[in-house]
Each structure stands twice: as structure tokens, then as C-alpha cells.
Amino acid sequence: MTSPAMLYTPPPIDPKAPPVRINLLSDTQTKPTAAMREAMARAEVGDEQVGDDPTVNALCERVANLLGKEAAVYMPSGTMCNVTATLVHCRPGDEILAHETAHIIAREGGAHAAIGGFQITQLKGPDGQFTPETFRKALHPRTRYQPPQTVVSVEQTANIGGGTIWKKAALDEIVVIAKQHGLITHMDGARLLNATVASGISPRDMTAGWDSAWIDFSKGLGAPIGGVLAGSRAFIDAVWQWKQRLGGSMRQAGICAAACIYALDHHVDRLADDHANARALARGLSQIAGIEVQEPETNLVFFKPDGAGVPGDKMVAALRQRGVTLAMMDGRIRACTHLDVNANQVEEAIGYVREIVRGA
């Protein structure tokens, strides 16, 4: 009797596949450094659920100050940061406005509709971003015939858009429009610090005017788990209720929070290295005839090898056989640089792509 197909459970690792030597799949693949592990081992801990874990408290205070907000809360994941934020900001039947490729639409399992009963209106625009004018045109008068428009959300950086950075001027204009029409502003900050490092704009300035914002520590910052959501004290107080309901309240979480503090101390400025490696990867790929590459702004490189005679899925499979792992996303290949990928590995990956194209 054959077992039923597993639709949602991650598939087991193929034991016949070669070991991964160059991991460009995602910056979520980073492993804690030896020094980060030492910081975790030394962490002073308590019971996070009752508020007496000193390391978690120190992390939350630091992130609140970094983003210029009154308070913050440590979460197991960035998805929980987004979901609890909308659960506090909205009521069932409310409408959220976001780009059509936003993480809250494409990567969170429909949680905002399933748990909160919210409608997300998809705004169009190139590179994962909508313009302030597109946002303005999507607004409608308050009427019983349409859902209340409650939140506008942006994703910094825009992942599927190519890791693009929302410009400060556009963010400020969206905030002004939102406040004029009584909407709450929420920033998905999964790669927020990539944007601030690349642009030279401080996190506090980048999130100014946004009612809620968060930082993901398990991507380019290299911590093993967690995000920190920030906003007003009243907002964070309400988030705690949803954190409890969703099983996000933890115990001796200071062990993980210590990794986040270490990341803030040691892994922020070095994000510039990932951006440089992404530019080098894009430059090398663009020199291979037939490969179409989007110029990266941060640490994500999107490209299509179809013009070189190799469909994207075939290229990903061929690279995997050479120990290089990448992802297909939105019909393109996405390569993601991070602290576990160095410049030599980038050049090696380019060489493999060239080799595969020559053999096509």
C-alpha cells in the first residue's frame, strides 16, 4: 500500500544529491557563526512569557530604539510579525492594500484571510513596488458597500521585485496619503537593514511615520531564529495577546535573542559585502550570452537563462548536481548572497553557469 502524497510537509533530503557547497538558495540558510554560538551559550535567560528574560528584554528595547518606536516584541518568525500586526490593526472584513507580490499575499499561507478574515487588495507596479499615485487611486470613500480600507503595507526590500529598495521619498508620500485617509501604515522589514545599509538611511528614518515595522534576524543578519516587531506601547500590548493565542510566547528565549543582539553588533555593516557579492554575481552572469539579469540593489539576484538555451528549472537542477543550490521564484531564478557565501564561491558559481550554457 502506497503512502499518500505529502502536500505541505517539506520533502526529505535526497540522499543521492551531492552535498551543497555553495548555498545561494536564501539568506535564511545562514548558520550561526562560532562567535554567535558562544554569545548564545553565555546568554542570561528567564521566562520570556512572563517578561523576565533579560536578554529578550534588552533586544526588544534595542530594536524599539533603533526603529524609533515606543516598544517592541520578540517573535519566532517574520510571518508571525506580519500576521499579529494585521490582527491588531484590522477587524474581520477589513481591507489591506499591498503590492501584488508582497510576502503577506504570496508567502504566508493565506493566514491573514484564514485567521483574521481580511481582504488584501493587490496593487500593481514594477520591481515589487507600487507608486504613491497607484495607492491613492486604489482608495475609495467610506461606504457600507465596500470593505473598510484599514492598512497599507510595504515590504522592504521587495523580495520578488528583485530585492529592490523602496525610496524614502515614496515611503514618506505613502504615509502622508495614508494618514489623510485614516489608514494605518505597516512595514514588512524582512530585509530592512539590507535597505538601510545600501541606501545609507538610518533604520529610524526609514521607518519614520510607519505605525508598525519589524526586523527579521534569521535572514542576512545570520541569527538562527526570530524577528522583532515594533510600534506604539498600546499596539505592542495588543500584539502580545495574539502572540499568546498563536503559541508564539516562549520560555528561555534569551538563548536565541542573544544571537540577534550579536547580529546587531557584528552583522549589520557586513551586509555591504553581500551586496558587493550580488553585484559581482550579476555582472558575471550578464557576460554570458543569452542570460537576462536584473541589476541587484541589495543581496538578491534574479536572472533568466532561457535565452542561452537552458530553461530556468533545468539550470537550477544542473547547478544542484554541482553542489550549488538556488530557487525558482516568479518564473525566474533567484540567487541570494549572505554571510555564508564568499566572493570565490560567487565566481565558482558563475563558472558552473557558463559551463552548463556551453553544454546546452
Side-chain angles (χ1 to χ4, degrees), residues 230-241:
S232 69
R233 282 191 175 84
F235 167 73
I236 294 301
D237 186 55
V239 166
W240 261 100
Q241 183 179 37

Side-chain angles (χ1 to χ4, degrees), residues 55-100:
T55 307
V56 171
N57 294 342
L59 172 64
C60 292
E61 182 177 349
R62 184 159 173 185
V63 172
N65 182 63
L66 183 69
L67 300 185
K69 309 303 179 189
E70 291 180 348
V73 58
Y74 186 41
M75 294 290 203
S77 72
T79 292
M80 190 173 283
C81 289
N82 277 335
V83 172
T84 55
T86 61
L87 286 168
V88 171
H89 289 322
C90 303
R91 294 295 175 266
D94 283 1
E95 180 180 340
I96 301 167
L97 294 94
H99 191 270
E100 61 185 349

Side-chain angles (χ1 to χ4, degrees), residues 110-120:
H112 304 270
I115 301 171
F118 313 136
Q119 172 176 308
I120 304 178

Side-chain angles (χ1 to χ4, degrees), residues 143-315:
T143 166
R144 70 178 187 272
Y145 297 108
Q146 292 178 287
Q149 294 180 312
T150 306
V151 171
V152 59
S153 177
V154 300
E155 182 184 334
Q156 183 73 299
T157 62
N159 175 13
I160 297 179
T164 57
I165 301 168
W166 284 80
K167 300 300 184 284
K168 171 68 171 160
L171 293 174
D172 289 347
E173 191 172 350
I174 289 168
V175 166
V176 169
I177 296 168
K179 298 312 174 187
Q180 288 172 345
H181 292 83
L183 273 73
I184 296 164
T185 54
H186 173 69
M187 183 180 291
D188 172 337
R191 295 182 176 88
L192 173 60
L193 295 190
N194 287 92
T196 63
V197 167
S199 67
I201 298 170
S202 73
R204 177 182 287 255
D205 287 344
M206 189 71 83
T207 59
W210 292 83
D211 296 305
S212 54
W214 58 274
I215 295 173
D216 194 329
F217 285 92
S218 66
K219 291 189 170 71
L221 294 176
I225 191 172
V228 177
L229 173 63
S232 69
R233 282 191 175 84
F235 167 73
I236 294 301
D237 186 55
V239 166
W240 261 100
Q241 183 179 37
W242 277 109
K243 173 172 165 154
Q244 186 71 36
R245 285 171 171 170
L246 297 176
S249 292
M250 298 175 279
R251 297 301 182 185
Q252 286 70 40
I255 291 174
C256 293
C260 302
I261 292 173
Y262 180 90
L264 288 175
D265 289 337
H266 301 281
H267 289 173
V268 176
D269 291 342
R270 66 145 307 281
L271 290 171
D273 298 337
D274 300 339
H275 302 164
N277 284 335
R279 290 192 297 271
L281 177 59
R283 186 167 55 249
L285 292 172
S286 67
Q287 292 169 356
I288 302 172
I291 293 188
E292 178 186 333
V293 187
Q294 180 178 347
E295 184 65 25
E297 295 184 12
T298 49
N299 67 322
L300 303 180
V301 179
F302 281 77
F303 66 100
K304 291 185 73 171
D306 304 61
V310 186
D313 57 344
K314 297 290 177 56
M315 176 64 75

Side-chain angles (χ1 to χ4, degrees), residues 294-360:
Q294 180 178 347
E295 184 65 25
E297 295 184 12
T298 49
N299 67 322
L300 303 180
V301 179
F302 281 77
F303 66 100
K304 291 185 73 171
D306 304 61
V310 186
D313 57 344
K314 297 290 177 56
M315 176 64 75
V316 169
L319 286 168
R320 182 65 189 84
Q321 290 305 308
R322 291 162 172 79
V324 182
T325 180
L326 309 92
M328 285 296 298
M329 194 168 290
D330 196 37
R332 298 180 292 170
I333 299 175
R334 190 192 78 167
C336 185
T337 56
H338 49 78
L339 64 83
D340 288 343
V341 175
N342 59 42
N344 290 336
Q345 290 174 315
V346 166
E347 292 304 316
E348 187 178 352
I350 294 167
Y352 287 138
V353 173
R354 190 176 290 112
E355 174 187 298
I356 292 163
V357 168
R358 277 201 304 263

